[in-house]
Amino acid sequence: MQPSVPSPAPSSEPSPEPSAAAPAASSPVAASAAVAPRFDERLTAPRSWWVIAGLLGLSGGLVMFPLGAVATLGGLIVAAVVAGAAVSSYGSARVRVVAGSLVAGDARIPVSALGAAEVLDEEEARAWRTYKADPRAFMLMRSYVPRAVRVEITDPADPTPYAYLSSREPEALVAALESVRAEA
């Protein structure tokens, strides 16, 4: 048996009604608009990788074929699920500009700690991935995305000189960073 909790005494004062002049951030729509991403890109794997994952599933079934129909079906399903999970995991990286921060994969960098952002064409992106690369840099790169953005990190406490981010829409990413920087 639970102890009873006394109910609050009724008040003779009228309860305050929500006013029309309440702050806009208190409504769920306004709150979600305040944190809506300025830029949101998922670096999904190309279709050819999904075809390869399907073929790996088929090969798993073929490996199990001599053991019977049930083993063949089990091998096909297990191999396809494992290959599909690997492709999906690798292609689930996101680049976002939201709530005054650049979120790239697992990294979250406040825009105030960022310097100049540079759009890299295919040739420059390849150079920054190879011989121009700094081992201390944060790299969110995907081999199937040829263009990228390089953003300087100006935080003196952070030894990371820049962030290299693969992007299919690098101009939009730079524009989103600039707009958030201009508002701050």
Side-chain angles (χ1 to χ4, degrees):
M1 184 154 94
Q2 294 191 4
S4 64
V5 177
S7 64
S11 171
S12 61
E13 296 178 21
S15 64
E17 293 182 21
S19 69
S26 64
S27 73
V29 173
S32 67
V35 294
R38 298 285 179 106
F39 179 83
D40 190 0
E41 178 180 18
R42 184 172 176 203
L43 302 175
T44 56
R47 289 184 186 101
S48 61
W49 288 28
W50 289 102
V51 171
I52 292 170
L55 292 173
L56 286 172
L58 183 62
S59 68
L62 289 174
V63 165
M64 301 303 283
F65 182 73
L67 301 176
V70 173
T72 300
L73 184 60
L76 179 115
I77 291 171
V78 168
V81 166
V82 168
V87 170
S88 177
S89 170
Y90 189 73
S92 67
R94 292 178 79 178
V95 178
R96 303 172 70 193
V97 177
V98 62
S101 295
L102 170 65
V103 181
D106 294 333
R108 179 179 211 91
I109 309 166
V111 173
S112 61
L114 297 176
E118 174 186 6
V119 174
L120 304 175
D121 62 7
E122 293 181 33
E123 185 177 317
E124 273 297 304
R126 188 175 308 113
W128 282 102
R129 282 191 309 261
T130 57
Y131 65 89
K132 285 186 176 180
D134 187 326
R136 299 172 301 155
F138 174 75
M139 308 281 261
L140 180 66
M141 61 181 162
R142 295 298 184 253
S143 61
Y144 49 83
V145 180
R147 298 175 65 204
V149 172
R150 188 174 87 59
V151 185
E152 292 179 12
I153 298 178
T154 58
D155 184 5
D158 190 352
T160 308
Y162 62 89
Y164 174 98
L165 310 169
S166 291
S167 177
R168 290 186 178 99
E169 303 172 10
E171 293 86 4
L173 174 55
V174 170
L177 288 170
E178 293 300 325
S179 87
V180 169
R181 186 176 294 124
E183 286 179 3

